[in-house]
Amino acid sequence: MTEIKKHSKVFIETYGCQMNVSDSEVVLAILSKENYELCESIEEADLVLINTCAIRDNAEQRILGRLDVFRLEKKKRPDLLVGVLGCMAERLKETLLENPVVNIVAGPDAYRDLPRLIASVKADPKQINTALSHEETYGDISPVRMDKNGVSAFISIMRGCNNVCSYCVVPYTRGAERSRDPHSIVREACEVIESGYKEITLLGQNVDSYHWVDGESDVDFPDLLEKVALLNPRVRIRFSTSHPKDISDKLLYTMAKYDNICNHIHLPVQSGSNVMLEKMRRRHTREWYLERIAKIREVMPDCAISTDVIAGFCGETEQDHQDTLSLFREVGFDFAYMFYYSERPGTMAARHFKDDVPLEVKTERLNQIIELQNTLSLESHKRDVGKTFEVLVDGYSKRSKADLTGRTQQNKTCVFPAGGHSIGEYVTVKVKDCTSATLLCELL
Ligand code: 5AD
Ligand code: SF4
């Protein structure tokens, strides 16, 4: 094993959700204090970290494929250290250490221990810490941002999850829910605003259950959202993810009160069938979900709504599937993340129900949902044609450097001629045409 040199180089690859991206920034902050600097490729790295996701089997398969790639690099450079972080590390624990390429396994609550784990590799090439914590929020750590354009920053406001959705591995990989001290969240928000970011997304598995009690102060999610929104009216605030059983009227009224809180709610429904919702232990019904949608529309008529859905959960009948399609039609989602059910070992569903919908049927149902959602997205975009929007410019069009891309408050992507504008500016555009993915606009 080599000595860890001054200014060793770390390459961090991140999979899974935004929360993982945020966690990688915490990891980089911790390692930066240890004289590590980020590098752009595996070939330059002394240490390669892969921050993993365990939500579905195909996520894990992709990561195992990446470990094979690292193995080739390690053949050339036996001194290269490889660490597996995140949800898959937490789920598989010692099993991952059996992979000859892996030196370090660290779960989501063990990142402060990384410097010790790295230093210990010299004595023993296999190091692991997958302890989960009831307190760790990394609240005092200022993440080192890894995004490319400096426009949009993500701030983690809580960790873990106390829901018991029967299909989901997250309560096992990220542990119990804990909220982060609001002072540290506001401090981090001030830092990112000072460094020029124009959009902040507050992240949690279930932001509606954010709750901080400390002496006199009692801060719930709408209170926190308000505090962050008040920092600068020209900085947009977003949040994710909401839960239908917890999303409150107070939240909706807070969103409506502040122009800079974006009119977009990501509200996973998972299924349109009450039988499935019960088996999924979602603790809400189809009717409850539709009532929440009606309330959102009453308070904010121009609020975009997106969702997550799972096709082919245990015992799902054709009728259950039709209920999902009809719910999609009834709500008219602007956008959806759509999956077929993937059994996760150890979850309630894996222990109690049979994964009995054949893969062909799961795929067929998923395709039907995707097809329907494409139509709904196109309809949602068509309703925007002729309207004007303020968009925050966040990149160049893939097709042409002469065009910019930006997003509306509703999180819809606009493409428009650059006209001398640049990334990070707000511009006003008029929608001329659309596809199911993009609003084609002109500058006003
Ligand atoms: N199989 C398929 N999709 C899943 N999700 C969570 N667990 C599973 C699973 N076992 C989906 C849910 C969740 C999103 C992040 O991933 O829709 O909202
Ligand atoms: Fe994120 Fe869930 Fe994947 Fe973990 S398992 S990285 S929480 S999506």
Side-chain angles (χ1 to χ4, degrees):
M1 288 296 132
T2 42
E3 287 283 308
I4 303 293
K5 292 165 282 185
K6 282 251 165 224
H7 288 298
S8 297
K9 298 216 159 113
V10 58
F11 179 73
I12 308 182
E13 211 167 272
T14 306
Y15 291 85
C17 59
Q18 264 311 325
M19 203 151 326
N20 253 20
V21 177
S22 219
D23 281 4
S24 290
E25 296 182 334
V26 166
V27 167
L28 184 58
I30 291 167
L31 294 183
S32 297
K33 291 224 167 72
E34 302 289 313
N35 267 327
Y36 268 92
E37 60 185 20
L38 192 66
C39 66
E40 300 288 317
S41 71
I42 305 173
E43 290 74 24
E44 294 167 72
D46 302 291
L47 169 66
V48 174
L49 296 176
I50 181 161
N51 196 355
T52 62
C53 173
I55 198 97
R56 285 169 291 274
D57 185 60
N58 56 11
E60 293 198 353
Q61 294 308 321
R62 255 173 74 204
I63 288 153
L64 293 175
R66 289 302 290 161
L67 292 181
D68 286 341
V69 173
F70 300 163
R71 189 175 357 216
L72 295 180
E73 184 63 21
K74 202 161 169 152
K75 253 196 188 140
K76 287 187 246 160
R77 294 192 294 128
D79 291 342
L80 177 67
L81 298 187
V82 174
V84 183
L85 316 179
C87 290
M88 195 175 162
E90 191 63 46
R91 193 178 87 72
L92 293 174
K93 301 190 169 64
E94 279 82 7
T95 319
L96 270 173
L97 278 183
E98 289 166 16
N99 185 320
V101 78
V102 177
N103 299 108
I104 295 161
V105 172
D109 288 342
Y111 300 149
R112 284 183 206 269
D113 197 27
L114 275 172
R116 185 191 67 80
L117 293 169
I118 295 166
S120 309
V121 166
K122 249 191 290 178
D124 175 356
K126 299 282 182 186
Q127 294 293 327
I128 182 164
N129 184 345
T130 52
L132 286 174
S133 151
H134 283 276
E135 287 88 34
E136 182 62 274
T137 62
Y138 301 113
D140 56 315
I141 293 175
S142 293
V144 175
R145 307 280 153 197
M146 284 162 77
D147 61 289
K148 293 273 182 280
N149 63 12
V151 176
S152 193
F154 293 81
I155 298 182
S156 174
I157 64 165
M158 58 208 293
R159 299 183 71 80
C161 186
N162 279 357
N163 293 329
V164 281
C165 302
S166 61
Y167 50 81
C168 190
V169 76
V170 172
Y172 306 92
T173 61
R174 286 187 170 265
E177 181 184 288
R178 62 227 103 118
S179 295
R180 177 177 168 190
D181 181 342
H183 297 106
S184 80
I185 297 170
V186 168
R187 192 210 64 228
E188 191 178 330
C190 289
E191 283 169 14
V192 299
I193 293 170
E194 248 163 54
S195 1
Y197 284 87
K198 294 290 176 4
E199 181 175 86
I200 292 174
T201 304
L202 304 178
L203 293 174
Q205 293 293 346
N206 179 3
V207 290
D208 302 297
S209 60
Y210 176 90
H211 195 198
W212 178 267
V213 189
D214 185 6
E216 301 271 280
S217 74
D218 185 328
V219 182
D220 64 8
F221 182 59
D223 299 333
L224 177 73
L225 194 59
E226 181 168 55
K227 280 180 198 293
V228 179
L230 281 168
L231 294 175
N232 184 331
R234 293 304 282 159
V235 171
R236 282 182 172 182
I237 314 300
R238 298 183 184 277
F239 56 88
S240 189
T241 298
S242 300
H243 195 299
K245 76 176 163 59
D246 298 318
I247 188 168
S248 65
D249 291 355
K250 180 176 172 188
L251 173 77
L252 304 182
Y253 291 122
T254 306
M255 289 178 74
K257 185 169 168 196
Y258 295 98
D259 278 345
N260 60 329
I261 303 180
C262 289
N263 287 347
H264 171 220
I265 296 178
H266 185 62
L267 198 64
V269 68
Q270 313 299 4
S271 172
S273 151
N274 280 336
V275 181
M276 289 296 106
L277 289 171
E278 173 85 39
K279 266 181 118 168
M280 289 174 163
R281 293 181 126 236
R282 288 287 291 168
R283 296 191 283 178
H284 66 82
T285 59
R286 175 189 176 102
E287 293 72 28
W288 174 275
Y289 187 88
L290 290 172
E291 186 282 326
R292 291 287 76 199
I293 297 291
K295 187 69 189 181
I296 294 168
R297 299 234 156 104
E298 176 201 316
V299 179
M300 291 172 289
D302 65 342
C303 187
I305 301 172
S306 55
T307 201
D308 292 348
V309 69
I310 301 175
F313 185 60
C314 311
E316 188 188 69
T317 62
E318 181 58 29
Q319 183 56 51
D320 295 320
H321 170 59
Q322 290 301 329
D323 289 349
T324 296
L325 293 173
S326 77
L327 180 125
F328 267 57
R329 279 188 217 103
E330 201 165 333
V331 177
F333 291 112
D334 297 279
F335 182 81
Y337 293 101
M338 298 159 279
F339 314 100
Y340 66 71
Y341 174 58
S342 163
E343 185 178 86
R344 309 313 293 132
T347 55
M348 187 97 70
R351 284 182 280 130
H352 297 291
F353 309 127
K354 228 175 141 211
D355 180 13
D356 55 359
V357 178
L359 185 59
E360 313 83 73
V361 179
K362 284 181 182 172
T363 316
E364 171 58 25
R365 289 180 185 169
L366 176 60
N367 286 339
Q368 287 177 18
I369 299 173
I370 293 172
E371 202 174 307
L372 171 60
Q373 184 53 47
N374 284 343
T375 323
L376 296 174
S377 297
L378 183 62
E379 281 170 14
S380 151
H381 280 175
K382 278 187 178 158
R383 288 193 292 273
D384 290 337
V385 174
K387 293 188 191 161
T388 57
F389 292 98
E390 183 176 62
V391 307
L392 174 57
V393 183
D394 58 13
Y396 289 99
S397 154
K398 277 187 214 109
R399 297 236 175 95
S400 156
K401 278 261 170 189
D403 290 341
L404 292 170
T405 62
R407 271 168 308 124
T408 66
Q409 282 224 353
Q410 289 76 6
N411 212 29
K412 293 180 183 173
T413 300
C414 298
V415 178
F416 46 91
H421 292 287
S422 43
I423 293 171
E425 280 181 45
Y426 286 103
V427 299
T428 306
V429 299
K430 182 168 185 181
V431 183
K432 303 300 288 176
D433 201 356
C434 66
T435 67
S436 63
T438 319
L439 297 175
L440 308 166
C441 308
E442 64 179 10
L443 279 171
L444 283 191

